[in-house]
Amino acid sequence: MNVIRSQKAWLAPLLAGLAALALLLSGGLASASESDLVLPDLGSQSFGGIDGRTLLLGGIVVCALGFVFGIVIFSQLNKLPVHRAMREISELIYETCKTYLVTQFKFILVLEVLIGAVMVLYFGVLRGMEATKVLVILLASLVGIAGSCGVAWFGMRINTFANSRAAFASLKGKPFPTYAIPLKAGMSIGAVLISTELMLMLMILLFIPGDYAGPCFIGFAIGESLGASALRIAGGIFTKIADIGSDLMKIVFNIKEDDARNPGVIADCTGDNAGDSVGPSADGFETYGVTGVALISFILLAVPDQAVQVQLLVWIFVMRIVMVLASIGSYLLNEAVAKASYGDADKMNFEAPLTRLVWLTSFVSVALTYAVSAFMIPNLGGDTTLWWKLSSIITCGTLAGAIIPEMIKIFTSTESRHVREVVTASREGGASLNVLSGLTAGNFSAYWMGLVLVALMGISYFFSMMGLDKLMIAESVFAFGLVAFGFLGMGPVTIAVDSYGPVTDNAQSVYELSLIENVPNIEAELKKDFGFTPNFEKAKHYLEENDGAGNTFKATAKPVLIGTAVVGSTTLIFSIIVVLSNHVANAVRLSPDDRLTAVMGLLSPLHPPFLLGLVTGGAIIYWFTGASTQAVSTGAYRAVEFIKANIRLEGVEKASITDSKKVVEICTQYAQRGMFNIFLGVFFSTLAFACLEPFFFIGYLISIALFGLYQAIFMANAGGAWDNAKKLVEVELKEKGTPLHAATVVGDTVGDPFKDTSSVAMNPIIKFTTLFGLLAVELAIEIDRTVSVVLAAVFFVLSMVFVYRSFYGMRIKSGEKETTAAGVRATA
């Protein structure tokens, strides 16, 4: 709340500026937009004797079952045995996470005031839309926010008790439970997240009147995108402040990993959930929803035949429903195989069953894609071959969901030659060569990832030329959207392997913080109450080794999400181009058939505004990278300063709860301040560039997608290589406390904001900018040109205020003394 109060001085002029904008604008809108789209009657087409509406109603039942599946797993995990010492630590982590999330939710609602003001201005004032529709849009945006925040809360809650259950299970001296519990937690999150998202979208499709569905989808997508952006940015900053603050103590005081005397460890555990659980859950929810909204908009804009529209819409959503079943079924089968293979084993490769799960789900999804498509659309628009061509396009994305993780493991796995090279370089060259070799791995990974994406998108383009042009305009754009759709096809499993990491990371911390080995008569107590004799050495080894697998699979999920954002953004950008083409066609009285041709010359480097937009997008990506890293480095400085001044290594077993909470407060404050500046910088930049020139804005959107793709992949994989190089030294080489370990800790702390702050937040930022840009550019093209340019200048100045604040308002000022209870004094 202190952070929110500190920003009130900025909120008042911002809202006043939006009110002034409403007074400046005048005139009606002539062009159709996404808000005008009307859904066709989904029951008008039959699929194997079942009408489309009935099929989708059955889909709601499947979603309900998927939701129940997730809740049942939640209940099962909650009832697993756990020692009180570990349970107390996990509940403390939960309480600090809860406090952080409540603060975040309040802050998101403040940002919703800004976004809501623009939506009311655009839909209510400019478009003259009836008040009921405007209210529906606003309510839908709140539902989107509630969805993102709700699944984030659920993910945080299950992970913060699965961690102690996994730590306790390791005491039995077998590796399998330390693998099975984190994956079960991940599948619970994945099933609940995807089922909830899909159910909400189906309810809009089926129960909202057709002329309200378009505005409802837009509001919903903007709301979930806002929630995901804020949670991803703030969570990424929070977690890396805490992680760096905690890790550097290992070097400064030569203490062990997760030393209970270190007051930064609880904050680090909170950050593991804020950044690696809350953020990805909200991000996955938003990614799944926005991709669906983009495809719906495309179909209604680009497909003239209403019967084909219905067939494609129902087919897409049935495919999503089927893939939920494929993911759950594959998980159950894979777990049976894993238990048979490793249930009683004393050693296991933790990555092996996770890899098998990803590939199994991919193959099952591909098989079902062709089978269901053959059943549903054997004759699409008079063409009896399109069912397998469309299935092949989706398959490009589905296979990408398995191929990309394999590519990423080449650069981030503990078995990777690149990771081992980081260790080798560190042994001889210390931290300098550690950092350089990690940068090399990141750059090299971006090259290969780029080639993989080009190959898969190129194949989809090839199939799109085989008859789709007879059904729609810009068929290649639809193909790229389906690739993004395929990326997310096995959504529950993708979310599960991503969520695996924060549980394994926290499990190791919970073990150390619980001081379980120091509990009086612990062996006798465990034998009496739980029926087994603990093996502490094996438990610690398995937890550390499994944390390496968690690091690897956290790394593999990031490029899937960023790839989806970039590939899917092409579909959203197409929607903006259609709006612009309609505007140009109306202005020069062209026929609808010539409307896209009319703007092609303006979507070229030969059109200077478009070229300048391409250049500007790159500038924004590099500002965003620097600003998010600045927030981490300054916050980490304050955290380290506080921890060094307050850590007690003599006469105590663990840090005081008060000191631990102060570190959490430091992380929260800098996360909020960083997110506030970054988000409003993005918000006003979007408005400024949309008002400046529409084709400049198109170039800008394309540029941030491409620059963001490669920047994110490079940073995520460099960070993953540094992270697991440290893990290799700790687990395989067992050289903690050595100069080699110190060098890898330095590399890991450099990689922390790379992999978990800047890179991961590219995904929601790209989608929010593109989605919000739909409204912004429509607003800009319909107002007087002079007014538009003036507004562009005003918004650009406002964006520069927050760009300036993101660096110079967040900088480290040496010699400052802390004056607040948290040990942090606001410098902005």
Side-chain angles (χ1 to χ4, degrees), residues 40 120 302 304 327 359 440 459 610 633 642 675 677 720 743 767 771 813:
V120 170
S327 294
W359 279 103
T440 300
I459 293 170
F610 180 79
S633 60
F642 177 84
M675 185 267 286
N677 291 325
K767 285 180 294 183
L771 188 62
K813 294 181 180 179

Side-chain angles (χ1 to χ4, degrees), residues 394 470 590 792:
I394 289 182
K470 297 175 182 176
L590 291 174

Side-chain angles (χ1 to χ4, degrees), residues 554-610:
K554 279 192 297 185
T556 63
K558 291 165 187 171
V560 172
L561 291 176
I562 186 63
T564 303
V566 172
V567 176
S569 69
T570 59
T571 313
L572 289 170
I573 291 171
F574 167 80
S575 298
I576 299 175
I577 293 172
V578 169
V579 170
L580 293 177
S581 68
N582 288 338
H583 180 72
V584 171
N586 291 335
V588 297
R589 294 180 180 158
L590 291 174
S591 68
D593 293 337
D594 296 327
R595 64 185 185 273
L596 286 180
T597 304
V599 302
M600 289 306 295
L602 302 176
L603 297 170
S604 163
L606 298 179
H607 182 53
F610 180 79

Side-chain angles (χ1 to χ4, degrees), residues 203-378:
M203 291 175 74
I204 294 174
L205 276 175
L206 296 172
F207 304 124
I208 299 295
D211 57 336
Y212 276 64
C216 203
F217 273 124
I218 290 177
F220 177 70
I222 289 176
E224 60 183 353
S225 187
L226 169 62
S229 298
L231 290 171
R232 257 300 196 187
I233 295 170
I237 295 171
F238 183 108
T239 184
K240 294 304 108 178
I241 292 173
D243 201 354
I244 293 172
S246 177
D247 278 357
L248 288 180
M249 295 307 103
K250 292 185 289 189
I251 298 176
V252 174
F253 296 107
N254 195 28
I255 58 179
K256 64 182 179 179
E257 181 95 7
D258 299 319
D259 194 301
R261 298 167 296 175
N262 181 354
V265 175
I266 289 294
D268 187 17
C269 294
T270 302
D272 287 338
N273 290 285
D276 295 334
S277 177
V278 169
S281 296
D283 191 1
F285 185 85
E286 178 247 7
T287 298
Y288 204 75
V290 171
T291 304
V293 170
L295 284 171
I296 292 168
S297 297
F298 180 93
I299 290 169
L300 298 181
L301 283 167
V303 179
D305 189 327
Q306 195 171 95
V308 176
Q309 287 181 359
V310 172
Q311 287 178 296
L312 289 174
L313 287 171
V314 175
W315 169 68
I316 284 174
F317 277 91
V318 169
M319 291 303 303
R320 284 192 158 182
I321 294 162
V322 166
M323 288 185 181
V324 170
L325 296 174
S327 294
I328 294 175
S330 298
Y331 163 73
L332 294 174
L333 176 59
N334 187 71
E335 280 307 277
V337 174
K339 189 171 185 178
S341 302
Y342 302 112
D344 295 320
D346 291 320
K347 185 174 179 57
M348 71 178 286
N349 181 339
F350 290 105
E351 292 185 12
L354 295 171
T355 299
R356 184 175 59 235
L357 173 61
V358 171
W359 279 103
L360 175 62
T361 309
S362 180
F363 287 141
V364 171
S365 296
V366 168
L368 288 175
T369 296
Y370 283 96
V372 174
S373 296
F375 168 76
M376 290 194 64
I377 49 172

